């Protein structure tokens, strides 16, 4: 009985040491991969750098520093949509990370909005400009909207209630309506109207329209009525 107890004690004592040693090995390997990835990044070998960052993220998928490094590499290779997704994840894990916020802002502003034609969206916007006395000055109506080709566009829509379900040519859509108003504090010129929200600490615009320029005088009010339809699969 005493021999059994001694053997059991030795096994218990050794086992945690083995676990600790294995963990130290992993930490050392992660540091080595990170160092190699960063060096490759500085040398402009971006695709090779991503391979090392991905190795780390397979083990530590929530490693914010490595996520940011990978996002920067994706931005350098003009893969802005993928980069934004990476920075967005980093910010969700660490909302106060200023580097992730700065990099995500850079990435999303390099994603070009594309026409909603042949997409899963339909849209309509009415822009009404009134002067300081409330008199209607001009009206602009368009279905030629642009949209941000990223999953955050759906996230934006899903954050707002569905007004109703509609069917067009046999296809069902979720219908949402948005109203935005601008009260001009000074005279200005607007070349683009945008629809969006404050996300990740700055404004993101999933939809826009080009009204060929609207001149607004101080005291004018510009009202935008947006209707967005999203296809239901």
């Amino acid at each position: 009985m005493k021999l059994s107890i001694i053997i059991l004690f030795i096994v218990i004592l050794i086992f945690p040491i083995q676990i600790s040693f294995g963990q130290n090995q992993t930490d050392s390997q992660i540091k080595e991969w990170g160092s190699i990835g960063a060096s490759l990044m500085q040398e402009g070998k971006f695709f090779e750098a991503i391979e090392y960052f991905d190795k780390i993220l397979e083990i530590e998928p929530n490693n914010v520093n490595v996520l940011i490094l990978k996002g920067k590499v994706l931005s350098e290779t003009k893969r802005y949509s993928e980069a934004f997704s990476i920075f967005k994840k980093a910010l969700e894990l660490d909302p106060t990370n200023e580097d992730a916020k700065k990099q995500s802002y850079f990435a999303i502003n390099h994603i070009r909005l594309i026409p909603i034609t042949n997409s899963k969206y339909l849209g309509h916007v009415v822009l009404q400009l009134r002067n300081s006395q409330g008199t209607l000055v001009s009206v602009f109506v368009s279905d030629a909207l642009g949209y941000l080709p990223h999953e955050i566009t759906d996230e934006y829509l899903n954050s707002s209630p569905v007004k109703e379900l509609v069917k067009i040519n046999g296809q069902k859509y979720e219908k949402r309506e948005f109203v935005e108003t601008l009260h001009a504090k000074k005279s200005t010129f607007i070349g683009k109207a945008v629809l969006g929200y404050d996300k990740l600490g700055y404004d993101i615009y999933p939809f826009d329209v080009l009204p060929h320029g609207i001149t607004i005088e101080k005291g004018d009010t510009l009202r935008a009525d947006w209707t967005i339809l999203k296809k239901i699969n």
Side-chain angles (χ1 to χ4, degrees), residues 55-216:
K55 285 182 179 181
I56 298 173
L57 293 173
E58 284 180 8
I59 300 171
E60 296 183 349
N62 294 333
N63 188 315
V64 172
N65 291 331
V66 176
L67 285 169
I68 292 173
L69 286 173
K70 180 179 179 180
K72 288 180 178 179
V73 171
L74 291 169
S75 284
E76 287 286 350
T77 55
K78 302 187 186 305
R79 294 157 64 181
Y80 298 116
S81 183
E82 295 174 70
F84 176 73
S85 295
I86 293 291
F87 293 131
K88 180 172 175 286
K89 179 178 179 179
L91 278 171
E92 288 168 350
L93 292 167
D94 182 6
T96 62
N97 193 301
E98 289 299 322
D99 193 18
K101 184 182 294 185
K102 176 183 174 182
Q103 296 297 332
S104 67
Y105 182 80
F106 174 84
I108 198 164
N109 279 284
H110 281 75
I111 304 175
R112 291 186 177 182
L113 275 69
I114 60 177
I116 62 173
T117 308
N118 299 322
S119 74
K120 60 181 176 181
Y121 308 110
L122 295 175
H124 181 79
V125 65
V126 178
L127 303 179
Q128 298 181 59
L129 179 63
R130 296 180 182 273
N131 63 21
S132 56
Q133 287 75 44
T135 303
L136 185 64
V137 176
S138 65
V139 177
F140 172 82
V141 180
S142 179
D143 296 331
L145 277 58
Y147 79 98
L148 189 67
H150 190 275
E151 61 186 17
I152 201 166
T153 298
D154 277 352
E155 289 182 24
Y156 169 66
L157 291 177
N158 293 339
S159 69
S160 299
V162 176
K163 181 174 183 180
E164 61 179 324
L165 300 179
V166 298
K167 183 178 287 188
I168 302 174
N169 297 327
Q171 174 64 54
K172 289 184 177 180
Y173 292 86
E174 296 175 344
K175 179 180 178 181
R176 293 176 173 86
E177 294 182 344
F178 306 86
V179 178
E180 295 200 342
T181 304
L182 170 66
H183 300 287
K185 295 182 179 180
K186 62 179 181 179
S187 298
T188 187
F189 178 83
I190 294 179
K192 178 171 66 173
V194 293
L195 175 65
Y197 67 151
D198 186 333
K199 181 75 173 178
L200 305 178
Y202 53 83
D203 290 334
I204 294 175
Y205 304 113
F207 296 95
D208 72 2
V209 67
L210 303 175
H212 307 299
I214 298 176
T215 300
I216 300 178

